[in-house]
Amino acid sequence: MFRLALIFIFSVVSGLAGAESLTTNSGSARVTAMVKGLDTPWAIGILPDMSFLVTERDGELLFVSKGNIVRVKGTPNVVAKGQGGLLDVTVARDFSQSREVFLTYSKPQPKGAGTALAIARLSEDGSELTDLRTVFEADNGGDSGRHFGSRIVEAKDGTLLVTIGDRGDRPTAQDRSSHNGSVIRVNRDGSVPADNPFVGQQGIQPEIWSYGHRNPQGAGLDARGHLWVSEHGAKGGDEVNLIRPGRNYGWPVISYGKHYSGQTIGEGTAKPGMVQPEFYWDPSIAPSGLLIYSGKLWPEWKGDLFVGSLKFDYIARLEGIPLTEVEQIKGPQTERVRDIVEAPDGSIWFVSVGQGTVFRMTPSD
């Protein structure tokens, strides 16, 4: 109770203090702290009325509306270990009718924990989740606290796409009998879509949409409905990938990075049948959170990708063919950017783990 009261005080103070600014290539942007005092925040989900949900990795879900903060009851039981815990939150497109939200978390399993997807309804006052049901969980968890992936994207057809890391067990990213190192696709009730690429193939998990991923922690749809992900490499080799069904993205057979020991990874940087990244960083920026912007408030940014950096404390803006990093939006507010989303009004919101704060960015007048 004390911690929640402290957060409330911080949120009121931030509002009184007024907005700060960040310099971008399109001029100065206004940056407003929407809530402060968060404990390892991971994700935000913005509701149609501009109230919002924030996950904290230790298992807390907070509902923030008009300066009031409520700890939401009824969240799933999580294994808060290492990188695991309560992770992503995504608001359903039909929220105004269904009041449903999607959550990913590290679910307790006999051998440790695995990435899981749950769906629940948010009460009218935002204080409680009801009808919580886990509709998917990775089959091959383990006791490692690493590489849960865990972004959720609602595809244009209503299916749900979830990223899953290799859990620190590199070879499993090439083993399609395991969900590790994959993007999975399920229907909203957890059933497997009939047009998934590996349905009916013996020894392959039918939920797999793509595989050969290391730890994808950013994901978003472009205007055509195609999925893009940003994923952590090892020492170098962080990637942005355009996801196609059934494709192999190479980890750990190919990579532009090296092992932390300095040794070469796998067989080099390319191999027939394995997809090349649309863009990669070397040195690594530790990417987490990916947004493809609509252009609503900044028309010049329409279709651009925004990716948060946990390591170098900035927001990368990428554009063009071939994809290129054209800008680094950086300031005290961008300390360890974990998530970045677009709100219904076109503003850009991001989570700073280093600041324990959710920020909202808009053009300056």
Side-chain angles (χ1 to χ4, degrees):
M1 187 64 69
F2 174 77
R3 184 164 65 86
L4 289 174
L6 190 62
I7 293 171
F8 176 73
I9 292 170
F10 284 163
S11 69
V12 172
V13 169
S14 71
L16 291 173
E20 300 171 329
S21 64
L22 276 176
T23 300
T24 78
N25 289 355
S26 296
S28 179
R30 179 185 296 110
V31 181
T32 305
M34 305 303 292
V35 61
K36 289 186 174 183
L38 300 170
D39 181 7
T40 319
W42 213 90
I44 46 177
I46 305 175
L47 278 56
D49 66 358
M50 298 294 288
S51 57
F52 60 99
L53 295 163
V54 186
T55 61
E56 293 181 319
R57 205 169 60 196
D58 65 1
E60 299 285 3
L61 178 66
L62 305 179
F63 173 68
V64 185
S65 177
K66 299 177 181 177
N68 296 313
I69 299 173
V70 176
R71 181 172 62 182
V72 182
K73 300 177 183 177
T75 54
N77 181 30
V78 309
V79 177
K81 175 184 176 181
Q83 297 168 3
L86 185 59
L87 302 173
D88 206 11
V89 56
T90 297
V91 176
R93 277 201 303 272
D94 66 357
F95 179 85
S96 297
Q97 293 76 44
S98 70
R99 296 201 63 84
E100 288 194 333
V101 296
F102 314 129
L103 299 163
T104 51
Y105 66 104
S106 51
K107 183 179 185 295
Q109 294 178 332
K111 294 184 179 180
T115 302
L117 168 67
I119 303 177
R121 292 186 176 90
L122 183 69
S123 63
E124 291 288 341
D125 64 0
S127 66
E128 185 177 10
L129 295 179
T130 63
D131 193 25
L132 178 75
R133 64 265 189 208
T134 297
V135 299
F136 168 83
E137 63 179 278
D139 72 305
N140 187 18
D143 61 3
S144 168
R146 293 186 290 163
H147 300 181
F148 288 89
S150 223
R151 289 294 171 196
I152 313 160
V153 173
E154 184 179 9
K156 286 193 171 183
D157 63 4
T159 58
L160 300 177
L161 297 152
V162 179
T163 68
I164 301 174
D166 69 2
R167 300 304 313 285
D169 185 2
R170 293 189 296 270
T172 61
Q174 291 293 319
D175 178 3
R176 288 173 291 169
S177 69
S178 166
H179 292 116
N180 288 358
S182 69
V183 175
I184 65 101
R185 175 176 178 252
V186 295
N187 293 315
R188 197 146 153 177
D189 63 0
S191 61
V192 177
D195 60 346
N196 271 11
F198 302 116
V199 168
Q201 296 189 34
Q202 188 173 2
I204 301 177
Q205 295 287 354
E207 296 89 354
I208 292 176
W209 188 245
S210 64
Y211 65 105
H213 301 285
R214 185 174 184 266
N215 190 24
Q217 288 193 343
L221 294 181
D222 64 20
R224 298 170 296 172
H226 297 150
L227 179 71
W228 294 71
V229 302
S230 57
E231 56 186 283
H232 293 261
K235 186 179 180 181
D238 294 344
E239 296 181 354
V240 174
N241 283 302
L242 172 59
I243 303 301
R244 301 291 191 183
R247 302 299 298 274
N248 181 352
Y249 288 80
W251 179 259
V253 180
I254 60 172
S255 174
Y256 284 90
K258 294 182 180 296
H259 292 300
Y260 294 112
S261 66
Q263 296 297 309
T264 301
I265 292 172
E267 301 175 20
T269 59
K271 186 174 182 178
M274 295 185 177
V275 180
Q276 287 288 298
E278 298 296 318
F279 183 82
Y280 71 91
W281 287 274
D282 189 7
S284 295
I285 70 164
S288 185
L290 180 149
L291 162 68
I292 302 174
Y293 188 61
S294 71
K296 194 168 186 176
L297 295 183
W298 289 275
E300 65 274 26
W301 288 351
K302 184 176 181 179
D304 290 358
L305 279 72
F306 292 79
V307 178
S309 167
L310 291 163
K311 183 176 181 181
F312 293 127
D313 301 334
Y314 69 86
I315 297 170
R317 182 169 69 86
L318 302 99
E319 66 176 16
I321 303 174
L323 196 65
T324 304
E325 183 183 274
V326 295
E327 182 174 9
Q328 296 178 0
I329 300 171
K330 186 177 179 69
Q333 306 92 337
T334 61
E335 184 181 357
R336 288 185 59 78
V337 175
R338 173 64 74 181
D339 194 16
I340 183 165
V341 302
E342 181 177 346
D345 65 355
S347 57
I348 294 175
W349 294 44
F350 59 92
V351 172
S352 166
V353 181
Q355 296 286 325
T357 301
V358 173
F359 290 103
R360 175 177 182 258
M361 185 168 75
T362 56
S364 294
D365 294 334

